[in-house]
Amino acid sequence: QNAMINHGEMVAQHTHQLPFNIQLTLSRQLTSRLSIETGLSYTQMKSTIVTGSTTAHIQEQQRLRYLGIPLRFGWQWYKKANLSLYSSAGTMLELPIQGVSNINYVTGGTSTFQKETTLSVPCQWSTSFGLGIQYDLTPHLGIYMEPSLQYYFDDGSGLKSYRTEHPLSITLPLGVRFHW
């Protein structure tokens, strides 16, 4: 059926949802201005890939999940009472915990065949730089906002995702930070 459309050329349409990410971070002061931060990160990315026409196509739902370990250094520029301004820079290694593709073949509006495949997903490296503001609720607990630039390196897998389409991203992390 697709041979009569676009002279038989099959084109894949990729649609990526914004990644969902949640982190738990711990920060340790090394000096009065310098700190080191690590923690645990969970990321989920979803994509839809449609190849073919409206009458006959293959629809693929791709889901990638990662556990990440960030390592960042922070430099405190200003501190007054419970408020501080800082910058941070670092890297993160994300280990894949799931890569799944649900494939659905559709002809004439009817699903003719479905299958689920496991994807081979490699580790993902990234680097980041951010400027932040933190308000300490207690001596060891603060809330923060840290607009950041994040760059995701090519993992070599060939998988298309939000990160391959947008390797340089602006993020706005908000959260709670434990520090000592």
Side-chain angles (χ1 to χ4, degrees):
Q1 289 181 346
N2 285 312
M4 294 181 274
I5 302 169
N6 290 337
H7 307 290
E9 182 180 342
M10 299 289 282
V11 178
Q13 303 284 330
H14 296 264
T15 306
H16 308 291
Q17 293 180 6
L18 284 174
F20 169 77
N21 178 272
I22 188 167
Q23 289 188 15
L24 174 65
T25 58
L26 301 169
S27 178
R28 173 77 172 146
Q29 286 296 130
L30 300 175
T31 69
S32 63
R33 292 189 181 262
L34 181 66
S35 64
I36 188 168
E37 181 176 292
T38 189
L40 195 59
S41 169
Y42 169 81
T43 302
Q44 177 176 283
M45 294 189 295
K46 293 181 181 179
S47 300
T48 302
I49 301 111
V50 177
T51 306
S53 67
T54 55
T55 57
H57 61 272
I58 300 168
Q59 182 175 6
E60 180 180 352
Q61 299 288 331
Q62 176 180 282
R63 188 174 60 246
L64 307 174
R65 293 181 177 165
Y66 296 91
L67 270 181
I69 303 165
L71 179 63
R72 287 190 290 266
F73 290 93
W75 184 261
Q76 189 174 66
W77 298 101
Y78 172 82
K79 178 145 177 85
K80 181 155 182 153
N82 292 346
L83 186 69
S84 61
L85 302 175
Y86 63 91
S87 59
S88 71
T91 188
M92 182 164 55
L93 171 63
E94 290 181 290
L95 306 169
I97 55 174
Q98 184 185 42
V100 174
S101 178
N102 293 306
I103 302 170
N104 187 16
Y105 294 81
V106 179
T107 304
T110 305
S111 177
T112 58
F113 179 73
Q114 295 178 357
K115 73 176 182 175
E116 180 175 290
T117 60
T118 301
L119 300 172
S120 177
V121 182
C123 295
Q124 174 76 63
W125 283 96
S126 64
T127 187
S128 66
F129 174 78
L131 297 172
I133 184 169
Q134 179 168 312
Y135 183 80
D136 291 331
L137 301 170
T138 72
H140 299 290
L141 182 69
I143 55 173
Y144 70 94
M145 179 175 64
E146 187 178 330
S148 302
L149 279 176
Q150 189 106 19
Y151 182 78
Y152 295 94
F153 295 98
D154 184 0
D155 63 12
S157 69
L159 289 173
K160 301 264 188 205
S161 70
Y162 184 86
R163 290 176 176 172
T164 59
E165 303 273 329
H166 308 282
L168 182 63
S169 300
I170 297 174
T171 61
L172 183 61
L174 304 167
V176 176
R177 179 177 288 131
F178 300 99
H179 53 92
W180 76 99

